[in-house]
Amino acid sequence: MEPAADAEGLERGRVAPISSRAERTMDALLADHPEFTALKFIGRTSEEVTAVTNALRDNSSITALYEMQGGEHGVTDEGLRQLSKVLRLNSTITKLHIASDAISNEGLKWLSEGLLRSQSVIRLSLWSGSIEDQGLHHLATALTKEECMLQELFLSLGRVTEEGAGKLQEAIQVNARLEKFQLEM
């Protein structure tokens, strides 16, 4: 068994241990279908989220992740931490569609960091009933940075207040790339 990935684990080729079944399934899918450019992922366990992120680390054909869900209540903060690492290494993913009530403010912090490290993600759709103003602040901060390549942003966040929406609006006014934006509270 390989050691668990740390903050730099992906760069050194180490990955978090996952079940051989989940890993074989992802490897086979991507090997047998190199023409696939989008992946609709609805996983049931954190192992499956890990398998997907590990497979995407070196993949150069998948450009979009749709309905990225996992676990009992969806992708967790840990899943977004792993995805953040992948976005730093993978330059082909351009679209993310993530829906999960298991994402907290910490998860949006990880995702925001990943967006700053990615030179390719231009569209983000995020649905979560658990993210609050603090989490939205992380995304707003990322949007003000030149490194953020987002052109389209669609959010449905159940616990965001007018104050959080105001911070996001300020960030959008600074961002020169964002062409499409929608926020549902």
Side-chain angles (χ1 to χ4, degrees):
M1 183 181 298
E2 296 176 299
D6 58 18
E8 301 301 320
L10 288 174
E11 287 83 351
R12 292 192 299 246
R14 298 182 312 157
V15 294
I18 60 172
S19 75
S20 58
R21 179 176 162 252
E23 188 170 17
R24 282 193 313 267
T25 300
M26 277 307 302
D27 287 344
L29 174 68
L30 295 175
D32 292 346
H33 300 283
E35 73 280 6
F36 284 177
T37 59
L39 178 63
K40 181 176 180 179
F41 173 71
I42 302 175
R44 293 181 201 94
T45 68
S46 60
E47 284 185 342
E48 291 169 341
V49 172
T50 300
V52 167
T53 56
N54 288 344
L56 290 173
R57 184 183 58 214
D58 300 316
N59 182 278
S60 61
S61 63
I62 299 294
T63 61
L65 289 177
Y66 290 101
E67 296 190 30
M68 189 169 177
Q69 303 174 8
E72 186 175 320
H73 302 289
V75 171
T76 64
D77 294 343
E78 175 60 22
L80 289 184
R81 185 182 73 81
Q82 293 175 28
L83 181 61
S84 175
K85 291 179 185 180
V86 168
L87 293 176
R88 180 175 40 202
L89 301 172
N90 182 308
S91 62
T92 59
I93 297 173
T94 60
K95 299 174 186 165
L96 297 173
H97 174 117
I98 302 169
S100 174
D101 282 336
I103 299 171
S104 73
N105 297 328
E106 185 72 14
L108 191 50
K109 176 184 172 188
W110 285 114
L111 182 59
S112 298
E113 289 177 11
L115 292 172
L116 289 176
R117 293 181 176 140
S118 169
Q119 295 296 303
S120 60
V121 176
I122 59 171
R123 180 184 179 138
L124 172 63
S125 299
L126 176 64
W127 280 258
S128 177
S130 302
I131 294 173
E132 301 168 329
D133 290 347
Q134 178 187 4
L136 196 57
H137 177 74
H138 297 299
L139 181 59
T141 300
L143 286 171
T144 64
K145 307 289 184 186
E146 184 68 27
E147 298 91 343
C148 185
M149 298 292 143
L150 282 181
Q151 296 173 11
E152 300 178 17
L153 178 61
F154 305 97
L155 302 170
S156 180
L157 307 173
R159 295 186 179 178
V160 173
T161 67
E162 293 294 325
E163 180 181 338
K167 293 282 186 191
L168 187 62
Q169 182 180 10
E170 291 171 14
I172 289 169
Q173 291 173 347
V174 173
N175 184 304
R177 286 192 179 90
L178 202 61
E179 299 170 359
K180 294 182 182 177
F181 171 72
Q182 179 180 341
L183 173 64
E184 294 178 14
M185 301 183 340

